[in-house]
């Protein structure tokens, strides 16, 4: 009995509740701040160092830290759930308003449908002689139902007249933002939710192009308005925005007269500018409104600045409705509605200026994304490594885009002038001799007194059946496919006091490999900033000076194939190892913009298919009928621009090098486009070039011979092994056959693939060396290969079951069976590992 009581007392002591004094809690909190999960030794040390804790058992200290971590976790979870609840409440309100707007739109359409039915019945019941009169009367009746608003006679050059225009702009903008003035169609994939960008819609059957978005952000309305009015910070196509006049209104608002210039996206059409009135005011419910429209002869008002290099575009009533949200944050409605004077551009480019989806991506969604980015950076939700402030990284992205846009457009008022060509009109060369063009005030002329300026070689072309995202992803991941290492060295040398001599641009150049180091990305990963290290390798003593590591700051965007109307671009600039925040940048790169598919006649489509004239094989070309038979019919416009510094006495040499280099890049990109086009598997396409070389012939013989030795079967039937017969049969084999290196101290890298293998991997022979075996196999495939590897080495071959692998473009590929075997050389030593994927297809 006594033993039982003693045991019970001991149990009560071990589970007794400990009440801590404020001093003890303060001491424990200090340690928790430094180390939320201290070890047993650290807890014992804490008891020794803090006498006030000496009466507490180590076990109780451990329990306190456990409870403290639990409370912290619960607090964070509670805060997260409250935030999600606020977002859902606001989103529910937004969806209810959208539902009301759609119901009004349905009612309006039902009324119009009934009215049209009535008119059709009336017209059919009327005699032929009276039909014209009936139509006239119905037209008068329709005008009475929808009277055209008459513009009052007014003097719009004074504040009162401008205020009248501003109030009309406000009413028209609100009817688009929350009413049925425009027939909005929701963009595919834009589903509302607490973490989505919002609800995005584009116009249908209205004058010009329009886009609308509404979403939630965790910033107050005043801050949101401040960001949106600073258009150059988020609208990458904005060259400049000048506020010419500010007029306060009696209600506490402001009227601003604004002149804005925008960049042209390609070298094939002129840039646009806008002369607008912007009205900022507060509604009765506390909402902030910023609305804007162009001032024209029909609206009245002051005349805008003249501009010879721009085409004056028209901004129809557009703007931002910013409403405060309960619990903090804002609900934003954005409307962009413009008429870009589509008839002033070449017919083949008009889809760029007629696409509401492109407008939505470039302006409407860009504004919403930028605000969300700022909101998450402000709240600390986004953490960047490398010690860079988010604002600095955003500035880098903006400078890269701005520098590239400046090169593509080559405005004369920025110092650009055209250099005489060599008779060809495919590549345009412009120069800028302003000392501030490249390095600005940081440039020390004493470093290079012969500094001549900056030279840009640029070109634009139309592509067929190549998704922009796929092309840019390939150009980013396989730089060796198109870049020349010698030219990269010259570009990097512009950062030094004594640039190298002008290189001879040549295919291949010096060998190099690239390592991509992530730096930052936007919230939805539609754009990312990175540093690229180019690792050079010298094969001869005279190449040592050029075989050095170089660095590029690179911006990649638009690589999501599901983003409708998104522009894909890859922009880069050489930087030195220091990579200062104010480092000079001279951007070059690629931009690919999709053209909306047309349902025009096949002949009209073929005129755009510039890639169809490219050679696909020896003497082969794509048939003109392919565009008709191929179900994948996507057109896009590609713009290329490369910038170089030059010294006075080297200007002509640099111009010749740049022209030759860009022509080489264009040819490489065209080959890449042909290789990765989803239509390349069409039966109308010719075969890829057969790699006829002594090494290829020898490897084909080894692959064929080793397969027969290990399996006892023939890989394929061949009448004669003389000449290139084996290589031809291997190259045209229907199954994907590929070889990879056989190294125990490094990941196997592909060294050869037949035509089916290149198609499966979505690559070329040149870029094949950048692909590692473990990158294309999924987890199950890697496990099976590891388990069968010893069998392959001992027995010489193994059969692998059906599975899934991934192409270099990230597309899943299924296969029914795979065979792996050792390839032996003439000395019967292990040369490489061969794989054959049987009956493969894209999933």
């Amino acid at each position: 009995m006594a033993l039982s009581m003693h045991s019970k007392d001991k149990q009560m002591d071990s589970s007794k509740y400990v009440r801590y004094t404020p001093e003890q809690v303060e001491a424990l909190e200090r340690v928790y701040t430094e180390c939320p999960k201290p070890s047993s030794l650290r807890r014992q040390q804490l008891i020794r160092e803090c006498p006030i804790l000496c009466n507490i058992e180590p076990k109780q200290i451990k329990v306190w830290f456990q409870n403290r971590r639990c409370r912290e976790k619960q607090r964070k979870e509670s805060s997260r759930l409250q935030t999600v609840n606020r977002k859902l409440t606001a989103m529910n309100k937004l969806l209810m308003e959208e539902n009301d707007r759609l119901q009004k739109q349905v009612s309006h359409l039902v009324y119009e449908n009934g009215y049209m039915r009535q008119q059709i019945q009336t017209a059919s019941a009327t005699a032929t002689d009276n039909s014209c009169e009936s139509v006239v009367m119905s037209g008068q009746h329709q005008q009475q139902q929808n009277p055209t608003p008459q513009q009052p006679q007014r003097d719009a050059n004074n504040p009162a007249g401008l205020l009248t225009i501003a109030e009309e702009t406000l009413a028209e903008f609100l009817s688009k933002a929350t009413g049925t003035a425009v027939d909005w169609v929701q963009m595919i994939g834009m589903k509302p939710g607490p973490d989505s960008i919002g609800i995005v819609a584009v116009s249908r059957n209205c004058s010009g192009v329009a886009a609308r978005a509404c979403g939630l952000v965790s910033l107050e309305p005043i801050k949101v308005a401040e960001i949106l009015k600073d258009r150059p910070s988020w609208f990458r196509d904005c060259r400049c925005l000048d506020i010419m006049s500010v007029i306060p209104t009696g209600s506490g608002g402001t009227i601003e007269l604004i002149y804005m210039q925008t960049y042209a996206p390609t070298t094939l059409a002129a840039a646009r500018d806008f002369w607008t009135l912007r009205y900022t005011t507060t509604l009765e419910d506390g909402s902030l409104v910023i609305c804007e429209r162009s001032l024209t002869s029909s609206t009245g008002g002051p005349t805008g600045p003249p501009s010879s290099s721009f085409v004056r575009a028209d901004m129809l009533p557009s703007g931002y409705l910013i409403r405060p949200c309960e619990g903090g944050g804002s609900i934003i409605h954005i409307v962009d509605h413009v008429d870009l004077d589509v008839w002033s551009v070449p017919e083949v480019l008009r889809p760029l200026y007629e696409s509401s989806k492109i407008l939505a991506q470039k302006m409407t969604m860009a504004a919403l994304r930028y605000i969300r980015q700022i909101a998450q950076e402000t709240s600390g939700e986004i953490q960047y490594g490398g010690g860079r402030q988010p604002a600095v990284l955003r500035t880098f992205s903006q400078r890269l885009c701005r520098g590239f846009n400046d090169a593509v457009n080559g405005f004369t008022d920025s110092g650009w002038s055209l250099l005489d060509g060599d008779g060809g009109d495919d590549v345009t060369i412009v120069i800028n001799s302003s000392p501030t063009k490249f390095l600005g005030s940081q440039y020390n002329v004493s470093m290079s007194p012969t500094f001549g300026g900056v030279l840009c070689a640029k070109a634009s072309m139309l592509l067929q059946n190549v998704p922009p995202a796929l092309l840019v992803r390939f150009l980013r991941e396989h730089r060796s496919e198109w870049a020349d290492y010698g030219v990269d060295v010259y570009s990097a040398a512009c950062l030094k006091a004594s640039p190298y001599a002008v290189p001879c641009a040549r295919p291949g150049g010096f060998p190099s490999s690239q390592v991509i180091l992530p730096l930052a990305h936007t919230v939805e990963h539609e754009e990312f900033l990175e540093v690229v290290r180019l690792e050079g390798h010298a094969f001869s003593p005279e190449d040592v000076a050029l075989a050095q590591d170089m660095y590029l700051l690179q911006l990649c965007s638009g690589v999501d194939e599901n983003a409708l109307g998104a522009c894909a671009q890859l922009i880069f600039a050489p930087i030195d190892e220091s990579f200062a925040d104010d480092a000079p940048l001279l951007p070059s790169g690629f931009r690919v913009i999709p053209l909306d598919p047309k349902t025009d006649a096949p002949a009209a489509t073929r005129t755009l298919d510039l890639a169809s004239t490219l050679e696909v094989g020896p003497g082969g070309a794509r048939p003109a009928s392919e565009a008709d038979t191929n179900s994948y019919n996507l057109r896009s416009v590609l713009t290329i621009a490369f910038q170089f510094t030059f010294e006075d006495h080297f200007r002509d040499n640099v111009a010749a090098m740049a022209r030759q280099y860009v022509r080489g890049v264009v040819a490489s990109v065209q080959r890449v486009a042909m290789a990765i086009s989803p239509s390349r598997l069409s039966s109308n396409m010719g075969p890829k070039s057969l790699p006829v070389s002594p090494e290829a012939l020898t490897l084909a013989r080894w692959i064929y011979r080793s397969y027969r030795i290990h399996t006892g079967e023939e890989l394929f039937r061949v009448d004669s092994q003389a000449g290139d017969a084996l290589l031809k049969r291997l190259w045209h084999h229907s199954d994907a056959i590929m070889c990879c290196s056989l190294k125990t101290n490094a990941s196997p890298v592909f060294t050869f693939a037949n035509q089916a293998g290149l198609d499966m991997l979505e690559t070329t022979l040149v870029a094949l060396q950048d692909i590692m075996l473990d990158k294309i196999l999924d987890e199950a495939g890697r496990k099976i290969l590891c388990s069968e590897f010893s069998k392959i080495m001992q027995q010489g071959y193994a059969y692998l079951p059906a599975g899934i692998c991934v192409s270099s473009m990230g597309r899943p590929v299924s296969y029914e069976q795979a065979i792996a075997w050792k390839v032996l050389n003439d000395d019967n030593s292990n040369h490489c590992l061969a794989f054959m994927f049987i009956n493969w297809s894209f999933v």
Side-chain angles (χ1 to χ4, degrees), residues 196-244:
S196 71
I197 187 174
I199 306 170
V200 183
V202 293
S203 61
R204 181 175 61 183
N205 300 329
C206 76
S207 61
V209 290
R212 170 181 174 270
C214 45
L216 312 172
V217 292
S218 56
L219 290 176
E220 295 305 312
I222 294 294
K223 180 64 176 175
V224 172
E226 178 186 327
I227 294 171
L228 290 172
K229 293 180 80 169
D230 184 19
R231 191 173 284 144
S233 67
W234 54 265
F235 182 33
R236 294 288 170 79
D237 284 356
C238 181
R239 185 190 183 210
C240 65
L241 188 147
D242 297 325
I243 301 176
M244 312 297 288

Side-chain angles (χ1 to χ4, degrees), residues 287-348:
S287 300
L288 262 175
V289 176
I290 305 166
C291 55
E292 190 171 1
R293 80 173 302 162
S294 287
L295 292 178
T296 63
S297 57
S298 60
T299 62
T303 304
S307 57
S308 57
S309 303
F310 294 83
V311 173
R312 183 61 51 86
D314 188 14
M315 181 181 293
L316 286 75
S318 307
Y320 317 104
L321 170 62
I322 312 165
R323 296 186 295 175
C325 196
E326 293 181 11
S330 306
I331 298 177
I332 311 172
H333 294 257
I334 302 176
V335 172
D336 291 305
H337 193 174
V338 295
D339 185 342
L340 298 173
D341 190 9
V342 66
W343 301 109
S344 65
V345 300
E347 182 179 356
V348 294

Side-chain angles (χ1 to χ4, degrees), residues 476-495:
R476 170 180 174 264
E477 296 170 5
H478 304 284
R479 186 180 176 85
S480 60
E481 186 77 8
W482 56 267
D484 183 278
Y485 186 74
V487 176
D488 285 335
V489 169
Y490 177 80
S491 298
C494 70
L495 302 172

Side-chain angles (χ1 to χ4, degrees), residues 407-708:
V408 168
N409 285 261
F411 293 117
T412 55
D413 59 0
S414 292
W416 291 101
S417 59
L418 185 66
L419 197 65
D420 292 336
D422 61 353
D425 57 357
D426 55 337
V427 177
T428 302
I429 303 288
V430 290
I431 60 172
N432 194 326
S433 300
S434 170
T436 60
K437 168 65 182 83
F438 176 39
L439 299 178
S441 59
Q442 297 175 334
Y443 184 76
N444 186 359
V445 180
S446 63
M447 288 173 56
S448 180
T450 58
F451 174 76
V454 173
L455 179 146
C456 175
K458 54 188 178 180
S460 290
M461 72 192 78
L462 295 163
L463 299 175
Q464 183 85 7
N465 297 338
V466 184
L470 193 65
L471 177 59
V472 167
R473 259 206 328 263
F474 189 95
L475 295 174
R476 170 180 174 264
E477 296 170 5
H478 304 284
R479 186 180 176 85
S480 60
E481 186 77 8
W482 56 267
D484 183 278
Y485 186 74
V487 176
D488 285 335
V489 169
Y490 177 80
S491 298
C494 70
L495 302 172
K496 299 178 173 57
S498 301
Y500 291 105
V502 179
C504 263
R506 57 198 174 282
F510 296 93
S512 68
S513 57
Q514 68 171 358
V515 178
I516 298 177
L517 309 170
L519 199 59
H521 59 79
T522 50
V523 175
E524 297 183 343
H525 295 261
E526 75 279 354
E527 177 181 282
F528 40 92
L529 187 69
E530 54 201 11
V531 172
V532 180
R533 185 172 78 242
L534 302 178
E535 300 173 330
H537 308 283
F539 283 166
S540 60
E542 57 268 23
D543 295 341
V544 172
L546 295 178
Q548 55 183 324
D549 287 356
M550 293 173 295
Y551 298 88
L552 302 174
L553 182 64
Q554 183 166 278
L555 182 72
C556 187
S557 61
V559 292
D560 180 7
E561 292 184 58
N562 297 319
L564 297 177
C567 158
Q569 58 185 10
L570 183 70
I571 304 173
F572 46 85
I575 54 175
D576 58 19
E577 295 86 344
S578 63
F579 187 25
D581 290 350
D582 57 351
L585 299 176
L586 196 62
S588 303
F590 308 87
R591 173 180 292 148
V592 193
I593 310 175
L595 297 169
D596 278 346
K598 289 285 186 181
T599 56
D600 299 335
T605 304
R606 287 201 298 272
T607 61
L608 294 179
D609 190 5
L610 303 189
S612 65
T613 62
L614 301 175
E615 290 188 354
V616 184
R622 290 172 61 182
S625 62
E626 180 187 338
D628 308 346
T629 59
N630 194 342
S631 61
Y632 191 88
N633 185 24
L634 174 72
R635 303 170 302 160
S636 55
V637 56
L638 166 67
T639 298
I640 302 174
F642 282 82
Q643 296 191 80
F644 308 93
T645 58
F646 65 89
E647 296 185 351
D648 283 331
H649 55 288
F650 275 143
R651 191 191 74 174
D652 293 341
N653 302 69
V654 174
M657 178 274 295
R659 183 177 283 110
Q660 180 185 353
Y661 181 54
V662 169
R663 282 174 179 162
V665 171
V666 167
S668 298
V669 170
Q670 288 172 333
R671 286 195 301 271
V672 167
M674 294 288 287
I676 67 175
S677 168
S679 65
R680 72 197 179 289
L681 299 178
S682 170
S683 60
N684 293 327
M685 288 195 64
K688 292 182 173 68
S689 299
L690 184 68
V692 180
S693 66
E695 294 82 1
L697 293 171
T698 301
L699 180 60
R701 181 168 55 84
W702 288 350
I703 293 172
Y704 177 80
R705 172 176 165 269
S706 299
Y707 186 86
R708 184 179 59 193

Side-chain angles (χ1 to χ4, degrees), residues 377-398:
E377 290 173 0
T378 304
S379 64
E381 294 180 48
I382 299 178
Q383 299 293 332
Y384 293 130
R388 302 277 180 177
Q389 292 296 323
V392 173
L393 297 174
R394 283 200 311 274
T395 301
F396 275 131
S397 300
Q398 291 164 359

